Amino acid sequence: MPSGFPHVLSPDDLTARRHAHVSAFLAGRALDPSWLTAVMRDQVGEGLLMLTSSPVHGLANPTSDLDFIRIQEAAIDGPRISTKIFENGHHLEVVSFSRAELASNLDELNRLAALPAAQTVAGFRAWDKSREPRRKQTERIVNGISLDGTAPFLEWLPALSRVWSRASLQTAVEQAVHALLAEAAGETRGRVGYAYNVLLHLMDALLSHHGDVYTTRKWYVLRWTRQVAGGDWHDERLQAVASDVERLRKGVNAALEPAAAGEPLAGAFAAVVLDAVRATGTAESVTVGVDTTGSAQPYLAGASLLLGSGNAVVLPGVAAGTELPLTGKPVALDELAGLDAKTAGTLLRALRSGAARLRIGYTGEEAGR
């Protein structure tokens, strides 16, 4: 498990804060914890019961559901489906897992947190194909608060923070690559959409790095605004990155104005991504390569058809048998801005169709950060 608790609060203080959020939420609904415990026991049986999601993070509103996770001793087979309970006008949902499968997941969380960044992300992305609880539910378990005010699995927050932060950070890197390619290819609006994605995933990466881990995407901006207002950054490097994210966030919409069509945009977003990679201790530099999911076949004169796994894209000016750019030696992220329009357009079409995928590499990783 990574050393050091990632949150600015101690584990005891964080638990107390989250319990206060939960208590206020339940009081606002006139719900008694003992009554809730009894209802759940009658409906789904004995087990460790935790309230999760927005009430724990202090983000709940009058229409928020009550989402519970229950951990039982007996084994459970197969995929999980939430049990919906309607009691006294309240909508309750609970999903159950066994102690054994949860223990296996928490071990996997620790294992992924200790791997090099690219392997961490690969494991994160493959998680839901074979594991119960799923990623979102694992995050909710680690953050969950029992009705007696304890946080039974909070000790796994350091590992959760590292894995989730790295996953969001790599998504931000990939979106920055798309923004650079779109801009080099001459797109004026597509690059702005990718830039927005860079911002969202950078926000989540930095929040997760600080121990504020919450999978639900609709809360990214609200959580970010709360963090910025509090100013609780671990060090000056991270605070500087956060300031740059805010500056770019406030100005990105101007890039949609017709007068800004020829103004460079993507380079600044790639730069802040690199700064975030360094400030979080993930690595010193990022490389970008491309893997094809199929092969280029003859199509028409002066064009080929790149066949992927269930996808295909026409590549004008690319002869059959010709490798896509970057399929050999990868390049540094900040070198992508120098691609010519034809090369950038070819890569972008292949990536958008799914006939190619990005290969992100990290160099100069800081072990044990």
Side-chain angles (χ1 to χ4, degrees):
M1 180 182 296
S3 61
F5 197 69
H7 206 277
V8 294
L9 298 177
S10 70
D12 288 345
D13 288 343
L14 180 58
T15 300
R17 173 183 284 186
R18 289 179 170 179
H19 183 224
H21 291 326
V22 168
S23 297
F25 172 74
L26 295 179
R29 299 287 183 91
L31 288 169
D32 178 67
S34 299
W35 177 83
L36 278 172
T37 301
V39 168
M40 289 297 184
R41 185 185 302 118
D42 290 343
Q43 294 286 338
V44 295
E46 295 284 352
L48 172 62
L49 190 67
M50 294 176 291
L51 186 60
T52 70
S53 198
S54 57
V56 170
H57 296 273
L59 297 168
N61 55 53
T63 62
S64 296
D65 292 335
L66 287 91
D67 294 319
F68 291 90
I69 288 180
R70 173 179 160 273
I71 309 299
Q72 67 177 46
E73 297 297 330
I76 309 176
D77 294 325
R80 281 337 104 80
I81 299 175
S82 296
T83 299
K84 299 182 184 298
I85 302 170
F86 298 90
E87 192 79 21
N88 291 354
H90 299 288
H91 175 208
L92 317 175
E93 289 194 16
V94 58
V95 59
S96 298
F97 302 98
S98 71
R99 285 275 183 185
E101 61 189 351
L102 175 58
S104 174
N105 264 19
L106 296 176
D107 286 345
E108 176 68 0
L109 196 60
N110 280 343
R111 188 187 75 84
L112 292 180
L115 293 175
Q119 295 178 39
T120 299
V121 176
F124 173 89
R125 292 179 175 180
W127 186 291
D128 285 354
K129 297 176 183 177
S130 61
R131 305 194 72 87
E132 291 282 1
R134 302 295 178 91
R135 287 191 314 237
K136 180 175 76 172
Q137 293 153 340
T138 301
E139 172 262 300
R140 291 185 172 187
I141 288 169
V142 172
N143 286 319
I145 296 291
S146 64
L147 294 178
D148 64 3
T150 61
F153 302 101
L154 193 63
E155 66 183 280
W156 278 272
L157 183 58
L160 183 82
S161 294
R162 173 173 283 192
V163 173
W164 261 241
S165 179
R166 285 179 168 182
S168 287
L169 194 56
Q170 180 153 319
T171 301
V173 169
E174 292 163 348
Q175 292 299 307
V177 171
H178 281 76
L180 287 166
L181 293 176
E183 185 166 282
E187 294 188 2
T188 58
R189 290 184 294 177
R191 62 179 186 154
V192 181
Y194 292 127
Y196 274 110
N197 282 338
V198 170
L199 292 174
L200 283 172
H201 291 287
L202 269 185
M203 290 175 190
D204 189 53
L206 293 172
L207 288 165
S208 295
H209 182 74
H210 286 78
D212 182 3
V213 188
Y214 191 10
T215 304
T216 306
R217 189 173 300 180
K218 68 180 180 181
W219 296 116
Y220 283 7
V221 175
L222 182 57
R223 290 164 51 225
W224 175 259
T225 302
R226 184 170 64 179
Q227 175 74 15
V228 169
D232 298 323
W233 306 104
H234 285 333
D235 56 46
E236 292 182 357
R237 292 176 70 191
L238 290 161
Q239 186 170 8
V241 173
S243 296
D244 285 340
V245 170
E246 274 295 272
R247 174 177 54 80
L248 292 172
R249 180 180 72 87
K250 292 175 181 178
V252 66
N253 62 305
L256 291 171
E257 297 293 333
E263 295 295 322
L265 172 76
F269 287 81
V272 75
V273 166
L274 279 175
D275 287 344
V277 168
R278 292 164 181 155
T280 56
T282 304
E284 283 303 311
S285 60
V286 175
T287 61
V288 180
V290 171
D291 293 322
T292 57
T293 61
S295 58
Q297 304 295 326
Y299 183 62
L300 295 172
S304 62
L305 186 67
L306 181 60
L307 300 175
S309 179
N311 299 285
V313 60
V314 176
L315 300 179
V318 178
T322 302
E323 287 190 344
L324 282 176
L326 309 187
T327 54
K329 184 179 179 181
V331 301
L333 175 62
D334 51 9
E335 293 178 18
L336 288 177
L339 292 179
D340 62 84
K342 177 183 175 182
T343 300
T346 295
L347 282 172
L348 200 56
R349 282 191 293 273
L351 291 168
R352 284 172 172 169
S353 72
R357 56 176 175 262
L358 292 174
R359 182 176 70 255
I360 305 299
Y362 301 91
T363 58
E365 296 189 41
E366 299 179 26
R369 174 70 178 263

